[in-house]
Amino acid sequence: MPPSVDDYKDYTDAVVAAIGSKASPRVKHAFPILIRHLHAAIIEAEMTVEEWLQACDLLIEAGKVSSDKRNEMVLVTDVLGVESLVDMMEHARYAKKGKETTASAILGPFYRQGVPVSPNGSSLVRMKEPGAPFVHLHGVVTGSDGKPLKGALVDVWHDAPDGFYDSQSPEKAEYHCRARFETDDQGRYSCICLKPTPYPIPYDFAAGKLLTLMDRHPYRPAHIHFYVQAPGHKTLVTQVFSRDSPYLEDDSVFAVKDSLIVDFVPPTTPLPEGGDFDEEIKFELEYNIALAGEKEVDQSQFQG
Ligand code: MBD
Ligand code: FE
């Protein structure tokens, strides 16, 4: 007879009951759920001591290779679909208000804080990338009412043509394929970037081991990341995906949403005045972003 949750009910109850009276309401609510599901998963899967040690080793490895430039723990949760799950629930808290807001997507491990603000229209391609297709990326940041937001901060980052982010390769120029822009008084941001390429998530450590165990590939469809902040508004973390990219259907980290798939089209919109970009621009991507107001976000799960 396989073990059942009932066999260990008194034991699991005792672990839950050990939570002290001074724990916060959130911990008192969430930890019994976590403990019960964790115990049930271990019981139903009939985990062995050896497997448990292997799981601990995997987490130790993830911690050891993590740094301010690489977050392997995020990657471990990504391949298990956890980052996308919390993101989907987060978005549901304000999307259901019936307003037009841009869909979110996961942050991933390569966001960097404190990137200096560049003038609108400037390039985030900070070293020579021969033959790479330049893109005029621009759009307007608005609230859910469609009113343009001045002074919104727009972080943009994507992989270089070799498939690596700046932080993954020391030989790259600082902040290559990464920049931050501030919207003008009409809510506009604009820049020159590259058309991104599909790319394997780093699979040399813990996340890769998990993928191998599950017989899965590490690839992600071509994407550009956005991190958009404006006072009084919910910060939006999202990604856009190129419609012509492979792996839209089988993203290794489960981040693709239909509304985030975009078309890179031949350029027609002129660059902002005063720019000095003189290479050929092959594509244009207009990407307008609508942020939820802070008050539109449903806070109910944090009450009680
Ligand atoms: C990435 O580039 C990424 O965007 C995510 C979410 C996970 C791993 C690598
Ligand atoms: Fe990415």
Side-chain angles (χ1 to χ4, degrees), residues 78-244:
D78 284 350
V79 301
L80 296 172
V82 173
E83 191 182 7
S84 274
L85 180 59
V86 289
D87 167 64
M88 285 188 275
M89 292 194 302
E90 179 90 5
H91 190 249
R93 281 180 204 124
Y94 53 95
K96 66 176 172 239
K97 296 285 168 179
K99 303 247 186 166
E100 277 299 316
T101 50
T102 303
S104 60
I106 60 181
L107 180 65
F110 298 121
Y111 170 65
R112 290 177 69 183
Q113 285 186 323
V115 177
V117 174
S118 298
N120 276 304
S122 54
S123 173
L124 45 84
V125 186
R126 300 177 194 266
M127 54 193 274
K128 285 263 172 277
E129 291 288 7
F134 287 101
V135 176
H136 177 201
L137 166 66
H138 64 99
V140 177
V141 178
T142 66
S144 63
D145 54 5
K147 289 211 183 88
L149 296 173
K150 180 190 177 199
L153 284 174
V154 182
D155 275 271
V156 182
W157 69 105
H158 63 71
D159 62 346
D162 64 358
F164 291 107
Y165 287 83
D166 59 343
S167 44
Q168 289 177 283
S169 31
E171 65 280 4
K172 285 200 168 75
E174 181 74 334
Y175 301 132
H176 187 45
C177 298
R178 180 190 300 275
R180 168 181 270 195
F181 302 93
E182 195 178 321
T183 56
D184 66 14
D185 47 18
Q186 294 170 63
R188 295 176 305 194
Y189 73 93
S190 63
C191 65
I192 309 287
C193 66
L194 295 174
K195 190 161 181 275
T197 50
Y199 134 105
I201 68 164
Y203 56 92
D204 45 352
F205 286 102
K209 270 187 194 152
L210 284 176
L211 289 172
T212 306
L213 280 173
M214 292 186 282
D215 182 28
R216 281 170 43 190
H217 71 72
Y219 285 88
R220 297 212 60 212
H223 61 280
I224 301 176
H225 293 265
F226 290 85
Y227 190 113
V228 187
Q229 298 161 274
H233 291 77
K234 169 88 180 144
T235 294
L236 176 76
V237 176
T238 195
Q239 307 178 20
V240 296
F241 301 91
S242 182
R243 194 179 308 279
D244 61 5

